[in-house]
Amino acid sequence: MNDSERQELIKAAIDVKNNAYAPYSGYYVGAALLTDDGTVFTGTNVENSSFPVGVCAERSAFAAAVSKGHRKFKAICVTGTRNNNPLIGNDYCMPCGMCRQFMTEFCDGDFEIISAKSAEDFQVYTLSTLMPGAFMLFGTML
Ligand code: THU
């Protein structure tokens, strides 16, 4: 993945974060997912008054992409802001454990996970470093 792809992904994640539905936690999360053919899908967290029903931004992005027929992915960027207040600024938002497992279904260990505060301030991980020894029922995606 090159620098311009990474910058495009970071921008998409920061932009979509404004659409987060997070009235309960006040933590707005945006995710942008890059497929192997260069398409970008975005997602936000969507909370629910029955708290466990809510979904994370990463899984929304994956669901959007998979439902359009995509199964191979290069990278995801995640960004989060408390109370969506630009004065507070973005966090290095890390994917939760459930999302790491969700990614494992579709992504190899070298799948890139970018946690971005801004276009200039971000950290890059791989799925294998964030999800070592992941559970796979048959050892590979079906
Ligand atoms: N959240 C995400 O969307 N992605 C993450 O990686 C961590 C947490 C959401 C879930 C919930 O809506 C809010 O952040 C606070 O936990």
Side-chain angles (χ1 to χ4, degrees):
M1 128 157 254
N2 59 43
D3 281 352
S4 75
E5 283 177 319
R6 197 172 283 130
Q7 287 298 319
E8 184 193 352
L9 219 51
I10 293 170
K11 184 181 183 324
I14 291 173
D15 286 349
V16 78
K17 182 169 55 61
N18 295 313
N19 297 330
Y21 177 72
Y24 303 104
S25 72
Y27 192 67
Y28 285 56
V29 185
L33 175 64
L34 180 66
T35 69
D36 69 337
D37 72 3
T39 313
V40 174
F41 287 88
T42 57
T44 70
N45 52 336
V46 183
E47 297 185 347
N48 190 274
S49 61
S50 177
F51 294 173
V53 174
V55 66
C56 291
E58 297 90 322
R59 279 176 287 137
S60 325
F62 269 90
V66 173
S67 66
K68 288 288 185 189
H70 295 271
R71 297 274 179 93
K72 291 187 189 309
F73 303 101
K74 284 162 78 169
I76 193 168
C77 175
V78 190
T79 186
T81 307
R82 272 160 287 167
N83 300 317
N84 204 28
N85 182 340
L87 295 175
I88 295 174
N90 291 333
D91 277 335
Y92 291 122
C93 180
M94 298 299 291
C96 77
M98 194 183 279
C99 288
R100 294 179 198 195
Q101 176 65 32
F102 201 90
M103 293 171 189
T104 298
E105 184 75 17
F106 297 103
C107 304
D108 295 332
D110 62 358
F111 177 70
E112 190 168 296
I113 297 170
I114 305 159
S115 176
K117 284 189 175 185
S118 69
E120 300 79 34
D121 188 357
F122 57 87
Q123 299 172 340
V124 182
Y125 300 87
T126 61
L127 183 57
S128 62
T129 59
L130 296 186
M131 191 64 178
F135 173 74
M136 294 290 291
L137 194 53
F138 300 112
T140 183
M141 180 181 67
L142 295 180

